[in-house]
Amino acid sequence: GQNIDQPTEMTATEGAIVQINCTYQTSGFNGLFWYQQHAGEAPTFLSYNVLDGLEEKGRFSSFLSRSKGYSYLLLKELQMKDSASYLCAVRDSNYQLIWGAGTKLIIKP
Amino acid sequence: IAGITQAPTSQILAAGRRMTLRCTQDMRHNAMYWYRQDLGLGLRLIHYSNTAGTTGKGEVPDGYSVSRANTDDFPLTLASAVPSQTSVYFCASSDGHSGANVLTFGAGSRLTVL
């Protein structure tokens, strides 16, 4: 079966750095996505990786290793507004998105 | 403001009743999707439409139907609601052309079936 694994919950301190990991086992691979979802709101797009390596976008970076079935989202200079759930999703060989259950990130002052 | 509008925002429904969740987008996106989100689970695709006039089944289609009469509207109907359909429902769209094919989501419809 297809599976996306990410930690259920993480806690970090304001101003610090946090890394949220995502491992996947899917039927084929056509890209990996990270979305942010604040409580009670819709998911919003953060990043897209299709090739191995690091994609940097401001305070957020996303890394992909296709051979290891692994990605991480790196958040720097954490702010209270970064408290949210972070969803990892992989597009499989049929171009269907497989979603992880999300990682709830709690930021403490 | 361009985006996706869902209605209703929330609804409490008696089991056995029929319910339609509305979804309208103004971005002229070709593809539209309905997902449900349940605690502890990833988003699960119910139905999708790659273009107006076509629809397809997702991972959890049973008990749901959709139609895509035009580009903008993609309603989701529960013919006879059951308690297991209690969930938050998200409509999403994408232009279907770019490599990333990023999804834009509506604000969600919270449905409780009693």
Side-chain angles (χ1 to χ4, degrees), chain A:
Chain A
Q2 308 204 87
N3 195 48
I4 309 285
D5 284 318
Q6 32 179 151
T8 302
E9 186 174 296
M10 298 182 70
T11 302
T13 303
E14 189 177 16
I17 299 173
V18 71
Q19 177 175 310
I20 302 174
N21 295 326
C22 171
T23 58
Y24 62 89
Q25 291 177 307
T26 56
S27 302
F29 178 86
N30 282 295
L32 184 143
F33 299 79
W34 286 97
Y35 282 76
Q36 180 189 58
Q37 184 178 25
H38 285 101
E41 298 183 9
T44 56
F45 171 74
L46 284 179
S47 68
Y48 169 67
N49 295 70
V50 66
L51 299 176
D52 291 349
L54 189 68
E55 294 281 343
E56 296 186 81
K57 193 184 294 185
R59 294 188 299 113
F60 292 7
S61 302
S62 57
F63 172 82
L64 174 67
S65 169
R66 289 171 296 171
S67 63
K68 295 181 179 178
Y70 168 72
S71 172
Y72 67 73
L73 181 68
L74 191 71
L75 291 73
K76 303 176 185 177
E77 302 170 15
L78 285 170
Q79 302 175 8
M80 297 303 294
K81 68 178 181 180
D82 297 330
S83 292
S85 289
Y86 292 86
L87 314 182
C88 174
V90 172
R91 192 159 60 197
D92 69 11
S93 57
N94 292 320
Y95 282 81
Q96 297 298 318
L97 276 176
I98 312 300
W99 294 83
T103 298
K104 182 178 181 180
L105 178 63
I106 299 168
I107 309 297
K108 295 186 175 180

